[in-house]
Amino acid sequence: MKIKKLSIIALALSFVLLISCNGLSPVNAREQQPKGALISSASGKEFAEVAEALAPKISPLKYSRSSSKPAGALRFACDPSSVGVSQYEGGTIANCKKKDLEVSDTDSALVEIKPGAARAPHWHDTWEQQTLISGKAKTYLIDEKGQVNVEVLTPGMVAFLPAGMTHWTETVGTQTAILSLSFPAGFKTFELGDSLIQVRKIDNDCASSSNLSCNAKPKSPILIVKDGLI
């Protein structure tokens, strides 16, 4: 009887180890037993009791999955401050272009306008969407009739500016205004200051080299202002 018990224990250990090492199910393990094995001499009840007693002592197999990002992974997020920041006296402008976001059909910008400063008047060949992240700002828009429209933006507010309409934004209060902007990919910006300089260049007065305005350089896109642009 003692030898019979030992045989059952040995078979049970072999059975459990076979499952844990080879990933076999109990059915497959039983099917792979050679004909005439001692397992046939043990009762099903005795075998089940021994297997149940031993099973909890066998630790489950552990595996690790690599968390590293595969080469050539899809870029679907972009930090404008890490791509390129243009700094001006009155604030900063940072951009994320379509080349930085493969899945995007828009270009994005993060604009910071310091207290007492304003984004100079300009327009685009596409629409622009503004979302104020923090601070307080006032956005001006000149519509097709030449009327100046004003909206005061607080955090979370969204402003939509149609293509071709001159607009600008200034900070309200003592906190820097931070805006998130989005445009269709490949948008172009036209600065009003640049246009005025071009007009001066073709003015008849530019025939005289003494006219300093002929050699004027474009102003900063973000200007320091005292009482606003209007």
Side-chain angles (χ1 to χ4, degrees):
M1 185 67 182
K2 187 175 182 180
I3 296 176
K4 183 179 180 180
K5 290 279 189 181
L6 291 174
S7 298
I8 294 174
I9 293 174
L11 287 171
L13 283 172
S14 300
F15 176 77
V16 175
L17 290 173
L18 184 61
I19 294 173
S20 62
C21 293
N22 297 327
L24 297 175
S25 65
V27 175
N28 291 335
R30 188 164 56 246
E31 290 174 351
Q32 294 188 21
Q33 289 291 337
K35 293 181 180 180
L38 292 177
I39 190 171
S40 62
S41 65
S43 68
K45 182 178 181 181
E46 290 173 334
F47 183 83
E49 290 175 352
V50 176
E52 184 179 356
L54 292 174
K57 299 178 183 179
I58 305 298
S59 301
L61 294 175
K62 296 181 179 180
Y63 67 95
S64 61
R65 180 179 295 174
S66 175
S67 59
S68 61
K69 206 170 184 180
L74 189 67
R75 295 193 302 263
F76 61 94
C78 172
D79 177 7
S81 62
S82 66
V83 176
V85 180
S86 299
Q87 297 183 342
Y88 306 97
E89 184 181 359
T92 61
I93 299 177
N95 294 282
C96 278
K97 303 291 187 179
K98 180 176 174 57
K99 62 182 177 61
D100 306 307
L101 287 166
E102 297 174 351
V103 297
S104 177
D105 289 327
T106 62
D107 291 339
S108 304
L110 191 65
V111 178
E112 297 183 6
I113 305 175
K114 296 179 181 180
R119 174 67 176 90
H122 62 283
W123 68 93
H124 310 285
D125 62 342
T126 65
W127 53 261
E128 172 189 333
Q129 181 172 295
Q130 299 181 344
T131 302
L132 185 65
I133 298 176
S134 63
K136 190 176 181 181
K138 186 183 293 185
T139 293
Y140 299 83
L141 176 69
I142 301 178
D143 61 25
E144 296 172 340
K145 298 179 180 179
Q147 182 176 349
V148 178
N149 303 273
V150 184
E151 286 285 353
V152 176
L153 306 180
T154 55
M157 287 187 66
V158 176
F160 187 87
L161 311 172
M165 293 190 179
T166 300
H167 56 276
W168 63 95
T169 300
E170 64 182 36
T171 294
V172 177
T174 58
Q175 182 181 352
T176 296
I178 302 178
L179 299 104
S180 175
L181 313 182
S182 61
F183 316 80
F187 77 100
K188 294 181 181 179
T189 300
F190 303 90
E191 301 289 343
L192 181 60
D194 290 343
S195 299
L196 295 176
I197 290 173
Q198 292 297 328
V199 171
R200 291 194 187 100
K201 283 184 177 179
I202 61 175
D203 191 277
N204 291 331
D205 292 340
C206 284
S208 170
S209 59
S210 61
N211 193 333
L212 298 178
S213 66
C214 295
N215 299 319
K217 295 182 179 180
K219 294 184 178 180
S220 168
I222 301 181
L223 308 172
I224 296 293
V225 295
K226 293 184 178 180
D227 301 318
L229 297 177
I230 288 186

